[in-house]
Amino acid sequence: MPEFDFIVVGAGTAGCVLAARLSEDDRVRVLLLEAGGADRTRAMTVPSAWPENLGSDADWAQVTTPQAEAGPALYPRGRTLGGGSAINAMGHVRAHPALYDGWASGGAPGWGYRDLLPYFRRSEQAPGHDPELRGTDGPIRVAPAAPADRHPVAQALAGGLEAIGCPVTDDLSGARPEGVAWVDLAIADGERVSSADAYLRPALGRPNLVVRTGGLVTGLDVRGDSCAGVSYVWDGIPGHASAAEVVLAAGAVGSPQLLLLSGIGPAGALRALGLDVVADLAGVGQNLQDHPVVMVTYQAAAALPRSRYNHGEVYTAVRTELANGYPDLQVFPILRPLAAPGFDAPAVGCNLVAAVVAPSSRGSLRLASPVPGAAPLIDPGFLADPRDVDRLEAGLDLIRAAAATDVFQATGLTELWPGPGAGPRDYIGRAVGSYYHPAGTCRMGVGPDAVVDPVLRVGGLSGLRVADASVMPVITNAHPNATVLAIAERAAGLLLGQA
Ligand SMILES: Cc1cc2nc3c(=O)[nH]c(=O)nc-3n(C[C@H](O)[C@H](O)[C@H](O)COP(=O)(O)OP(=O)(O)OC[C@H]3O[C@@H](n4cnc5c(N)ncnc54)[C@H](O)[C@@H]3O)c2cc1C
């Protein structure tokens, strides 16, 4: 008899949903294993303090391989109860319905927009929106920045974009999923709402749920063509736990990394590292997608007020000439005086940012070493496809046009980088960075490159599924967290035979 019905690896956005939903059935024994700690720090709680999470104990704090001319990019990932949802910028946005319909028609039946809608609604509580489309009583409480508290620069950007003809929408996750929007933020009563806060912590007293933090899952115990459990190291001591089914929710870096360490992946690459091949699955770690961003940095003559929210507040989804069925570009502010690595930040100022949200580029996640815990080679392939440079150039043009309007000029902000008159293309290559949204490395679908099938089973093996950002066949054209919640909600239903 296995010790557990389910072992969930990783207590991130998806893992907390899975552990909480699975353990609602008191006949089901669940073990949740998380590498990070259980603290809920100030930086994980106070919305405007979220940047302090970066580089903290709650961040894996890894970097990418060199990207374009910018060198290695910072690549934070949550390492704590709640994972990314405990350290991220709290944007809560769905992708365009056509994106999910593309998943379904591309080999993942059951994952189209109408299929996912009940799970989106189940995960959230979004008062003030259309209750046919948005959740009314789910665990994740969300709301946009209150009109009276909106940052003046965010308001000026919204006004500038509107003045040059961008449509305005009252809900990017609702019936009109493009335009300028005061998006929902996972903030309630002035505090962040992570999946640990909303799903896991209320379930911690259940006798059928065991949660262990602060140890590393090092591999999967595969016997024949069946996964029987996991190996781990806790307090320096190796151990095993067995289950009828193991669910990987270690994220778009952690899940493929564990499969590869366990001998599940491209046979040639595994053998080159001296790993025994358990299953030759060419797609593991391939198809890494992320949203590249480029900041236009502005300086101010006098100090700006502090954001009372996430230093973002207003997000705009638009289509470039290259868009294919849904917006491929996002523009948003970072209401802090930062600059791209290698460029001097202003003493006072902020940034207007362009992000490619439907990138053509693809990258990969590979092992650098067969040692569990060693940082992998993360290559999001930013700008590998020149169409993404074209999209970012369109984004910088849009930002500069909005910044030239009277409503934005009234802020007194002046462009510092790339600088007035500077052409954008060279700057884009030097300044590109990540929106911190990796996805796609255990692609769901059919065919030789798929890693999981449409019910999330890892190809050819029983007792092993993946349910997190890594299963997305195509990255969301929006922040991913709301979609990861829905993936995990549907996955829990599949595991319990209810979906
Ligand atoms: C700085 C930052 C800002 C972001 N801003 C936003 C935003 O505003 N809106 C949005 O929608 N998205 C945002 N994201 C992205 C979003 O948070 C992620 O897409 C989401 O959290 C992914 O969820 P997941 O469950 O797939 O993985 P994660 O939440 O990353 O969870 C994986 C968990 O597995 C654990 N783990 C990994 N390997 C092991 C192992 N071997 N053993 C044990 N445990 C392991 C990790 O520690 C982690 O807790 C941001 C991300 C970051 C880092």
Side-chain angles (χ1 to χ4, degrees), residues 291-295 332 353-356 382 392 428 431-436:
H291 298 145
V293 297
V294 170
M295 300 193 274
F332 62 98
V353 189
V356 177
F382 289 147
L392 285 167
I428 287 168
V432 69
S434 172
Y435 212 162
Y436 313 141

Side-chain angles (χ1 to χ4, degrees), residues 454-469:
V455 290
L456 305 174
R457 289 179 304 217
V458 176
L461 297 170
S462 64
L464 181 60
R465 304 205 208 200
V466 184
D468 59 23

Side-chain angles (χ1 to χ4, degrees), residues 119-213:
Y119 301 101
F120 278 121
R121 293 186 66 252
R122 188 172 156 81
S123 67
E124 68 179 11
Q125 203 177 124
H129 293 305
D130 178 356
E132 294 289 314
L133 298 178
R134 303 299 307 277
T136 55
D137 57 2
I140 303 286
R141 296 163 66 200
V142 301
D149 294 336
R150 291 172 181 169
H151 195 281
V153 173
Q155 297 196 54
L157 174 62
L161 288 165
E162 200 179 342
I164 59 171
C166 283
V168 175
T169 176
D170 61 352
D171 188 4
L172 268 185
S173 302
R176 288 185 298 154
E178 40 196 299
V180 183
W182 296 90
V183 286
D184 288 320
L185 304 170
I187 300 172
D189 301 328
E191 293 189 355
R192 171 195 295 274
V193 182
S194 72
S195 67
D197 302 326
Y199 281 90
L200 185 67
R201 292 196 166 97
L204 284 177
R206 294 178 189 161
N208 60 330
L209 173 62
V210 178
V211 181
R212 296 192 68 183
T213 56

Side-chain angles (χ1 to χ4, degrees), residues 266-337:
L270 296 174
R271 286 198 189 100
L273 285 170
L275 289 162
D276 291 337
V277 178
V278 169
D280 182 9
L281 266 186
V284 177
Q286 301 304 304
N287 193 44
L288 173 57
Q289 297 163 59
D290 192 359
H291 298 145
V293 297
V294 170
M295 300 193 274
V296 181
T297 303
Y298 291 83
Q299 57 189 348
L304 298 172
R306 202 175 160 79
S307 168
R308 299 188 59 178
Y309 293 91
N310 67 340
H311 309 283
E313 305 185 12
V314 69
Y315 295 76
T316 299
V318 290
R319 300 183 192 219
T320 71
E321 287 175 358
L322 293 162
N324 193 7
Y326 43 80
D328 57 346
L329 183 70
Q330 213 186 72
V331 168
F332 62 98
I334 297 180
L335 302 165
R336 302 180 68 225

Side-chain angles (χ1 to χ4, degrees), residues 17 27 29 48 65 92 121 126 137 142 144 147 179 215 259 287 322 362 370 408 434 444 468-469 488-489:
V17 177
R27 295 162 302 178
R29 296 156 302 153
S48 64
T65 59
H92 181 92
R121 293 186 66 252
D137 57 2
V142 301
L259 289 173
N287 193 44
L322 293 162
R362 298 290 183 266
F408 194 86
S434 172
M444 173 168 51
D468 59 23
E489 285 277 12

